Amino acid sequence: MPDGHLITKGETELAACLAAFAAAPRAGVLLCDIDGTISAIAARPEDAAVSQPFREVLAALTERLGLVAFVTGRALEDGRRMIPIDGAAYVGTHGLELMAPGGEVLAEPQAERYIAAVQEVAAAARDLDCGALGIVLENKRTTLAVHYRLATDAARTRHEILTRVVEPARSRGLAIGTGHFLFEVRPPLPFTKGTATRRLLAGGDYLTGMFCGDDMTDVTGFKTLHDWAARDARRAACALAAVTAETPSPVIEDADVLVRATPGVYLALTRLLAAVGG
Ligand SMILES: [Mg+2]
């Protein structure tokens, strides 16, 4: 596919951002979601994988930029398993867990007291006929993801999830997040990919940032990055959305650059690598 078809909007914005990275690579930060952004969406989360070309370009960027961080809804260790790169930072469970480039893990201590309630909801969810309903449960201890991409009758499956998982979770004081064919039960704490992005950006004298994402949870990262850039005229920021036919409209509205998922992300990352001397 010609390059022009992979980047569907924001060529000028992307070029300006790459020039800012090129001017000072060590002041550059790349924040990158995993599923749907650098790995194609799979029906079961365990089947998703990051391809070798993505691994190579991201490893090379980690050597050259000030910071590369993978910001995922998966548990932190699961994110590291998918894209293991020494020197990268990892944010797991939408900001609940953060691993610095040196390996130091900063968990959200307040989340511990919600684990029992999340596990009660997980036990109730396991009582659903998950096979027949097309439900895949992903128990991340402090959160529970309920995927239903495999449902043949999505309306019926959603109804079952709402009555048997979402309502019991709310009655226990837990919060609910949503995504592509996904409900997530989580502690009612103000952590998001945006709060994690703020912590990462505060960790150095960075001037340029790029956030690559594809789903509603990434919009908090896009907004945080834009707010960070707006506070200092020397800073530049670029929010890049990996787009499919399923992309929620806020993701498209808040992005500066739109690319086709996932080859367009690969193209943008290879251009970034070339811009910083790779
Ligand atoms: Mg994603």
Side-chain angles (χ1 to χ4, degrees):
M1 196 181 283
D3 289 3
H5 293 133
L6 294 177
I7 295 172
T8 55
K9 191 189 151 217
E11 280 276 9
T12 309
E13 289 80 356
L14 180 61
C17 188
L18 297 189
F21 273 104
R26 291 284 170 199
V29 179
L30 173 66
L31 302 141
C32 200
D33 170 54
I34 298 177
D35 289 87
T37 300
I38 57 168
S39 75
I41 295 287
R44 293 181 178 81
E46 64 266 32
D47 294 337
V50 178
S51 67
Q52 191 62 27
F54 264 115
R55 289 175 182 233
E56 287 171 7
V57 70
L58 288 160
L61 285 166
T62 304
E63 286 177 13
R64 287 169 177 79
L65 298 180
L67 179 70
V68 171
F70 298 101
V71 183
T72 179
R74 290 176 182 258
L76 193 147
E77 280 306 321
D78 201 18
R80 284 188 77 205
R81 178 188 63 76
M82 287 193 71
I83 177 80
I85 296 178
D86 287 342
Y90 293 84
V91 172
T93 323
H94 308 292
L96 194 57
E97 311 163 286
L98 192 152
M99 179 184 281
E104 185 194 359
V105 175
L106 312 161
E108 174 56 69
Q110 291 185 74
E112 292 288 326
R113 63 195 172 96
Y114 295 99
I115 290 172
V118 171
Q119 292 308 311
E120 284 170 23
V121 175
R126 281 193 295 271
D127 287 342
L128 288 165
D129 189 351
C130 291
L133 291 166
I135 290 172
V136 176
L137 300 174
E138 189 187 359
N139 190 340
K140 296 182 270 189
R141 193 166 161 270
T142 44
T143 68
L144 172 74
V146 183
H147 300 269
Y148 62 101
R149 180 171 293 276
L150 295 172
T152 49
D153 182 347
R156 173 171 165 246
T157 294
R158 279 177 61 89
H159 176 77
E160 286 293 312
I161 296 170
L162 287 167
T163 54
R164 305 278 294 277
V165 178
V166 170
E167 284 175 18
R170 288 210 171 106
S171 73
R172 286 172 171 80
L174 297 169
I176 302 296
T178 57
H180 288 332
F181 298 101
L182 169 70
F183 287 96
E184 188 155 71
V185 177
R186 49 194 291 180
L189 300 171
F191 64 86
T192 63
K193 289 188 179 182
T195 59
T197 296
R198 196 173 308 126
R199 283 169 85 179
L200 289 167
L201 291 170
D205 292 325
Y206 303 123
L207 293 174
T208 308
M210 179 185 285
F211 195 117
C212 302
D214 74 307
D215 206 347
M216 288 302 294
T217 59
D218 299 308
V219 173
T220 60
F222 291 178
K223 288 183 189 295
T224 299
L225 187 65
H226 285 143
D227 290 347
W228 169 83
R231 284 198 300 275
D232 187 326
R234 297 171 306 152
R235 293 177 182 163
C238 175
L240 181 145
V243 177
T244 68
E246 292 174 2
T247 305
S249 56
V251 177
I252 290 169
E253 286 156 16
D254 284 322
D256 306 299
V257 178
L258 304 180
V259 304
R260 293 199 197 280
T262 58
V265 182
Y266 181 74
L267 176 63
L269 294 178
T270 55
R271 285 194 192 169
L272 173 56
L273 180 58
V276 296

